[in-house]
Amino acid sequence: MVLNRKKLPLFDLASRELIFGKPDRIYTYDDFEPYQRWMSKLCINLKYVYLGADMGLGKTATALKAASIWLKKGKCRRVMIIAPLNVANHTWPDEIAKWDFARDLTYTVVTGNEEQRIWALNRPSQLVIINRENVV
């Protein structure tokens, strides 16, 4: 059986790894580039911040690092991530799986039809990943 990754809703790391396996490599904070360390410190320490960088420069990992620290320090109970549909469905779960500081975070991807989104929103999770079309 071939699974169509684009149509398969994934809701947590365990589900993802059961179907696709673990990533080839798990990265650590030591793998961050100096600018990623700088961006993560900005996110952690400033009340409001906008990260603007080209695609592939580590914004997702940076935001994950900041979110993991906020959650561990008790600064928040849940983090909502609003992203384009493909990024919400694939990029965020992929990044959570490959960074050691994010692998213990629980997450829910809130996409799909209304019934799937309501079910996902009612799951206990630290990260709620939703596509921007579903945010009023």
Side-chain angles (χ1 to χ4, degrees):
M1 175 172 67
V2 176
L3 294 172
N4 183 343
R5 190 159 189 241
K6 291 190 182 236
K7 296 192 184 241
L8 183 68
L10 294 175
F11 298 104
D12 56 39
L13 185 60
S15 299
R16 183 192 185 285
E17 290 189 350
L18 181 66
I19 296 165
F20 300 112
K22 287 189 175 186
D24 295 333
R25 179 172 177 217
I26 306 295
Y27 294 88
T28 70
Y29 185 67
D30 292 337
D31 293 306
F32 265 30
E33 297 292 337
Y35 66 85
Q36 285 178 286
R37 292 174 186 265
W38 173 76
M39 288 192 306
S40 66
K41 288 176 185 169
L42 284 177
C43 290
I44 293 161
N45 296 321
L46 296 176
K47 189 172 183 176
Y48 303 102
V49 66
Y50 172 82
L51 292 179
D54 285 337
M55 206 166 61
L57 291 179
K59 295 179 299 294
T60 304
T62 298
L64 275 172
K65 179 63 177 175
S68 71
I69 290 174
W70 295 332
L71 290 160
K72 284 178 184 163
K73 289 186 174 184
K75 294 192 178 225
C76 61
R77 290 178 297 163
R78 275 182 125 175
V79 175
M80 178 176 274
I81 298 155
I82 303 170
L85 181 61
N86 192 49
V87 174
N89 280 331
H90 303 294
T91 303
W92 279 92
D94 289 349
E95 290 291 309
I96 290 165
K98 77 179 195 181
W99 290 97
D100 72 337
F101 53 78
R103 289 180 59 80
D104 64 337
L105 298 175
T106 58
Y107 73 91
T108 302
V109 177
V110 184
T111 60
N113 63 38
E114 183 178 3
E115 182 182 1
Q116 291 169 322
R117 292 191 316 263
I118 290 169
W119 179 84
L121 283 170
N122 287 313
R123 292 191 68 208
S125 62
Q126 295 167 305
L127 303 175
V128 176
I129 306 164
I130 189 167
N131 60 310
R132 58 185 174 211
E133 294 82 5
N134 285 323
V135 177
V136 178

